[in-house]
Amino acid sequence: MGFHSKEAVPGDGNLAEFQQMFALSEADLSFKILGCSDGPASFTAEMHERVYRVISADPFYECTLEQVQERIAATYEIVIEQTRSNQDKFVWERIKSPDELGEIRMAAMRRFMADYEQGKADGRYITAELPKLPFAEKEFELALCSHFLFLYSDNFSLEFHEEAILSLCKLAQEIRIFPVLDYNAEVSPHLAPIRKKLSALGYENSLVTVDYEFQRGGNQMLRITT
Ligand SMILES: C[S@@+](CC[C@H](N)C(=O)[O-])C[C@H]1O[C@@H](n2cnc3c(N)ncnc32)[C@H](O)[C@@H]1O
């Protein structure tokens, strides 16, 4: 099982949230998308219902459905309680309270669980972990990674981030990573050196302000084109 932080930064975990975090247009949705580190979000399930093409890759998918249910039951209260005790780190506008967050998030996880076994059989949930993912060069038009890279900068080194992001650059024409903050809501110390490295290698990269802010100050994604 891959890294699983207790300092989780919870999101809604649904398609609407992903659309905002990554500023996804209708044209973007029609791309073949790699969802990296999606965990129990309902993005892939909802996209599949709408006949869009997403493959999610996460070490979490080594779990059986039963283990997923156990993991969610064991961590759900902890994550919501952590959010409650760190309320000042979040913006309570779109979502009004930790309880409402919990309800939205649980609805997304239920949707994920309903799709999980069929999705695994279809090859839409792949057990894999950065820095190396088992896909072909430029297999995807777009790769998305939310709430993993940069967020856990204390746990994952600059070298890990470099290797992971460069491997995503091999797999997709465009990469979007959200947020660029760590879980203390500070800009990741890895961001500047990664951008320098990307530019030196000729990859265009920019910070894009998006219409989503839950972690206070976290309203930017890193966009890389290859
Ligand atoms: C906080 S969750 C984010 C879930 C989802 N992206 C979201 O925004 O709601 C972090 C995810 O990163 C996954 N993860 C941990 N180590 C990983 C690795 N080496 N490569 C890819 N994903 C990893 C975890 O399993 C977990 O599902």
Side-chain angles (χ1 to χ4, degrees):
M1 171 69 54
F3 166 79
H4 183 78
S5 176
K6 289 202 164 66
E7 303 282 346
V9 171
D12 324 2
N14 56 32
L15 172 59
E17 180 194 38
F18 274 58
Q19 281 180 282
Q20 287 187 316
M21 286 189 299
F22 294 116
L24 294 173
S25 65
E26 280 302 316
D28 293 335
L29 293 179
S30 68
F31 288 152
K32 183 170 182 193
I33 298 176
L34 168 64
C36 189
S37 314
D38 284 346
S42 62
F43 174 63
T44 299
E46 291 184 70
M47 288 287 280
H48 181 64
E49 275 168 30
R50 291 167 199 212
V51 205
Y52 290 122
R53 299 162 300 159
V54 180
I55 293 180
S56 288
D58 194 304
F60 183 64
Y61 304 144
E62 76 173 15
C63 292
T64 61
L65 177 59
E66 202 179 18
Q67 289 168 332
V68 167
Q69 287 161 340
E70 284 166 10
R71 277 279 287 274
I72 289 174
T75 56
Y76 174 79
E77 276 305 331
I78 298 171
V79 172
I80 299 302
E81 193 43 50
Q82 269 174 3
T83 313
R84 200 171 279 126
S85 52
N86 288 296
Q87 283 198 47
D88 56 319
K89 287 197 177 146
F90 300 98
V91 176
W92 299 100
E93 279 173 14
R94 193 176 46 90
I95 297 176
K96 304 287 181 232
S97 67
D99 288 332
E100 187 185 346
L101 172 71
E103 283 160 27
I104 295 172
R105 195 172 156 73
M106 190 48 102
M109 291 192 289
R110 279 199 206 97
R111 221 158 167 177
F112 161 80
M113 287 188 280
D115 182 51
Y116 186 52
E117 288 188 315
Q118 185 59 51
K120 264 185 144 177
D122 293 347
R124 290 184 287 110
Y125 296 109
I126 303 288
T127 306
E129 61 184 56
L130 289 169
K132 293 252 181 296
L133 298 178
F135 301 109
E137 210 163 296
K138 295 288 181 270
E139 185 171 334
F140 301 93
E141 286 156 295
L142 182 60
L144 306 174
C145 183
S146 64
H147 297 121
F148 173 60
L149 289 169
F150 297 128
L151 188 64
Y152 300 117
S153 293
D154 279 359
N155 305 76
F156 291 90
S157 66
L158 174 60
E159 290 67 33
F160 174 90
H161 276 73
E162 250 181 44
E163 202 184 334
I165 291 171
L166 292 179
S167 87
L168 290 174
C169 289
K170 290 216 168 66
L171 301 181
Q173 289 165 19
E174 183 178 328
I175 296 97
R176 300 184 192 179
I177 302 171
F178 180 94
V180 294
L181 304 186
D182 63 18
Y183 58 69
N184 292 313
E186 306 281 348
V187 173
S188 163
H190 302 330
L191 180 64
I194 292 278
R195 293 196 62 194
K196 199 169 165 196
K197 177 89 180 188
L198 288 167
S199 298
L201 292 171
Y203 292 123
E204 260 182 50
N205 61 94
S206 56
L207 286 179
V208 179
T209 299
V210 297
D211 191 19
Y212 177 95
E213 182 181 356
F214 183 47
Q215 202 186 12
R216 204 168 279 287
N219 65 346
Q220 286 192 309
M221 68 168 169
L222 177 63
R223 178 170 182 259
I224 306 161
T225 47
T226 66

